Amino acid sequence: MNGSESMVHTLLNNDVSVCFANPGTSEMHFVSALDRLPQMRCVLGLFEGVVTGAADGYFRMAQKPAATLLHLGPGLGNGFANLHNARRARSGIVNIIGQHAHDHIAHDAPLTSDIEGIARPVSHWVRTCASSMTAPDDTAAAVQAASGPPARVASLILPADAAWGPSTAGGVQKLPQRPAPCPADTVIDAIAQLLRSKDHAPGSVALLLGGRAMRGLSTRLAGQIAARTGCKLLAETKNARSERGSGRVNIPQIPYPINGALETLKDIRLLVLVDAIKPVAFFAYPDKPRFLVHPDCRVETLATGDEDVETALAKLNDALGGVPSQVAYVSDGVSPAWSDGMPNSLDMGRALAALLPENAIVVDEAITTGRQLQSSAAAAKPHDWLEITGGSIGYGLPCATGAAVACPDRKVVAIIGDGSAMYTVQSLWTMAREGLDVTVVICANRKYQILSGELDAMGGPPASTNAQRMLSIGAPALDWVHLAQGHGVPATRVDTMAGFAKALENGLRSGGPNLIEVLL
Ligand SMILES: Cc1ncc(C[n+]2csc(CCOP(=O)(O)OP(=O)(O)O)c2C)c(N)n1
């Protein structure tokens, strides 16, 4: 058995059974090993941003890492932006990155680069295999680092001689899983005391939830705490995965635009973080604060992302006397009907709320069109909502691809700005090849609308030729119907709300990939 085979056995033994890949010559021994072990599902992405974004989407839904296979430094570099988003989503990924054989690196062949240097900013764990004999243990260490808790991006660099040289048979067997630690009881008691205190004005106390606190029992426990103490609930601006919909606790998010965020937080004087960080502005502006909370706001941490968030909330709820029969922020499932006319964010959200099937997965990279989608979606049937966590656009189509691979029995709806969709448009081909049940909605406003808004908000002179040329993508107009068809995905174009609702219904019914271009 060679190093590659031993590595693939190790991956499979440890429940890593999907490999999103874009290989090259240095990875051919690994490709050959994958070929001999068909239990590993190999999914080709035609650009590495698709590969890494799909691994992120896969982890968000499967809650276990996939592997990626990337071609040396340039392949990893192409996948960098979505590894950045994955790191911010705290997704576990095992990157296998090809490298020249040890004795070839010094010769400076064309694809030579500092792979560890490229990997480090987007990886919590980086290692280069010393030899084919260490390769299975290196792989096991990568899987352990990626699986967590807490989940991590692990990058294992595989020199070709470590891939082709002799190794141990059967790879490393299943590794034990460590539980996440719970915060100390003293921390929980101190926060319970603060939440019980009558010193705070009504409406001035909030729990801020993020990360894993947006899923499972956590949101319900937070709803019980809110009902018991009268505190507000807020969610971070962007969340890797939030469970939302009718009958669930739907937690309003801190808005993305800085003025809306400051307004939301202006009266809060005690903020308790639950797998969240102290809210910070997405960007610095000359005349705005860097942090979004009031300077007099006390910020306390109940549990970090490295801790057992759900148990921490359960203990806090017990200490406060919250009960399952009294839960705040539960959506009653009522949403106003959408009105016909030109498509717009508000009505698209309402139509989505009406048509989304139970247990659907929504991938949201709708940028400005997305701002009003979620408020209505709280009224939809229970579903998961996935967002861009690292601000690096081009995550949505790959993330939807990975989510659909992880959850073949669930409908995926990906709502993507046309500008964002162009970064990783090749995802459509993977969706078609794999027959993934994804309905892609392209919000075709034919501009970088969010950036036009930022330029206007600066208050300078109106955009002239150069700024317009950098912020408009309408000439030539992208033809999404033909782009999709060219990637093997059936598509339609709509310019009315009635057309959108009909196309969405048809797309969801189709059972395969389909695309709706919505002219805005
Ligand atoms: C990798 C990366 N490059 C550039 C940007 C800057 N950027 C943010 S939003 C955006 C345009 C988004 O356009 P679109 O998806 O059409 O949404 P719209 O703003 O029109 O709603 C750009 C270029 C970014 N966030 N990430």
Side-chain angles (χ1 to χ4, degrees):
M1 178 169 297
N2 67 22
S4 303
E5 288 165 313
S6 189
M7 287 173 73
V8 180
H9 276 294
T10 301
L11 292 171
L12 288 167
N13 292 345
N14 288 283
D15 210 18
V16 179
S17 53
V18 174
C19 180
F20 296 101
N22 190 282
T25 303
S26 39
E27 294 81 57
M28 272 313 123
H29 288 271
F30 200 83
V31 168
S32 169
L34 290 167
D35 200 30
R36 269 166 279 144
L37 291 162
Q39 310 91 295
M40 180 69 78
R41 178 172 179 189
C42 294
V43 179
L44 180 64
L46 300 183
F47 173 67
E48 290 85 347
V50 176
V51 171
T52 53
D56 179 10
Y58 178 89
F59 180 87
R60 294 190 198 199
M61 296 314 303
Q63 289 301 295
K64 60 176 187 172
T68 69
L69 181 60
L70 303 167
H71 187 46
L72 297 98
L76 172 62
N78 279 347
F80 188 94
N82 275 333
L83 286 175
H84 165 82
N85 287 323
R87 190 177 70 86
R88 286 278 167 174
R90 288 199 263 112
S91 290
I93 297 178
V94 180
N95 294 314
I96 310 282
I97 305 146
Q99 165 65 302
H100 292 310
H102 282 97
D103 65 354
H104 196 52
I105 295 172
H107 303 330
D108 200 25
L111 275 153
T112 307
S113 67
D114 177 6
I115 304 179
E116 287 195 3
I118 300 167
R120 229 168 256 120
V122 285
S123 313
H124 303 92
W125 184 101
V126 179
R127 185 182 293 179
T128 299
C129 285
S131 76
S132 52
M133 291 309 291
T134 67
D137 283 330
D138 292 332
T139 308
V143 175
Q144 197 151 42
S147 305
R152 296 281 191 236
V153 176
S155 292
L156 180 60
I157 298 157
L158 177 61
D161 54 327
W164 72 51
S167 193
T168 50
V172 176
Q173 297 303 313
K174 191 149 187 69
L175 298 160
Q177 282 237 307
R178 300 176 304 249
C182 190
D185 285 347
T186 47
V187 171
I188 294 166
D189 291 344
I191 289 174
Q193 208 170 334
L194 284 171
L195 290 177
R196 260 191 242 110
S197 155
K198 304 270 179 265
D199 293 348
H200 299 284
S204 68
V205 177
L207 298 190
L208 177 63
L209 280 72
R212 279 167 305 125
M214 295 300 290
R215 293 191 274 118
L217 262 186
S218 293
T219 51
R220 191 145 284 270
L221 289 163
Q224 286 178 212
I225 292 167
R228 177 75 186 165
T229 66
C231 74
K232 288 184 177 175
L233 297 182
L234 291 169
E236 289 195 305
T237 304
K238 299 289 175 191
N239 294 280
R241 176 178 168 192
S242 318
E243 290 177 359
R244 311 185 74 87
S246 170
R248 285 180 167 170
V249 173
N250 287 259
I251 305 177
Q253 288 161 281
I254 298 174
Y256 169 84
I258 186 161
N259 289 342
L262 291 168
E263 178 64 25
T264 301
L265 290 165
K266 73 176 193 310
D267 296 328
I268 303 297
R269 293 294 177 273
L270 172 63
L271 188 68
V272 176
L273 306 178
V274 193
D275 198 351
I277 61 163
K278 180 175 170 178
V280 59
F282 249 75
F283 295 102
Y285 298 90
D287 53 350
K288 306 270 187 214
R290 303 296 179 252
F291 284 107
L292 301 169
V293 283
H294 190 278
D296 296 337
C297 180
R298 177 170 178 179
V299 180
E300 295 288 339
T301 299
L302 175 72
T304 69
D306 293 354
E307 293 175 313
D308 182 344
V309 173
E310 198 170 285
T311 304
L313 279 165
K315 285 186 171 185
L316 181 64
N317 183 54
D318 286 347
L320 292 165
V323 289
S325 55
Q326 285 172 10
V327 189
Y329 290 86
V330 176
S331 159
D332 58 8
V334 177
S335 163
W338 52 269
S339 342
D340 199 11
M342 292 275 289
N344 61 79
S345 176
L346 189 64
D347 282 311
M348 284 170 70
R350 289 172 176 170
L352 185 71
L355 297 172
L356 205 61
E358 177 138 13
N359 223 13
I361 300 163
V362 179
V363 177
D364 173 5
E365 196 181 28
I367 316 290
T368 54
T369 312
R371 291 201 180 143
Q372 298 191 70
L373 286 179
Q374 265 209 40
S375 51
S376 321
K381 296 193 180 78
H383 61 275
D384 285 284
W385 195 283
L386 278 48
E387 291 173 301
I388 178 167
T389 45
S392 176
I393 61 174
Y395 109 99
L397 291 175
C399 184
T401 305
V405 169
C407 300
D409 300 331
R410 298 176 65 171
K411 299 273 174 199
V412 180
V413 179
I415 312 181
I416 320 282
D418 49 358
S420 300
M422 278 307 291
Y423 283 65
T424 40
V425 63
Q426 310 88 336
S427 311
L428 296 173
W429 182 86
T430 304
M431 289 177 192
R433 167 189 265 205
E434 300 291 324
L436 303 177
D437 191 352
V438 184
T439 296
V440 176
V441 177
I442 298 291
C443 305
N445 59 10
R446 297 179 174 168
K447 13 179 171 168
Y448 286 171
Q449 177 59 42
I450 190 168
L451 300 185
S452 296
E454 294 283 358
L455 191 72
D456 290 347
M458 277 168 51
S464 190
T465 314
N466 266 344
Q468 277 172 14
R469 285 176 63 79
M470 283 187 277
L471 304 180
S472 158
I473 57 172
L478 292 159
D479 179 341
W480 280 97
V481 171
H482 284 102
L483 277 169
Q485 287 170 351
H487 287 81
V489 172
T492 181
R493 181 176 297 123
V494 300
D495 58 5
T496 62
M497 274 305 304
F500 171 64
K502 187 89 212 128
L504 186 59
E505 235 179 329
N506 290 342
L508 287 166
R509 209 179 306 117
S510 77
N514 61 95
L515 181 143
I516 307 164
E517 177 180 1
V518 184
L519 296 182
L520 291 164

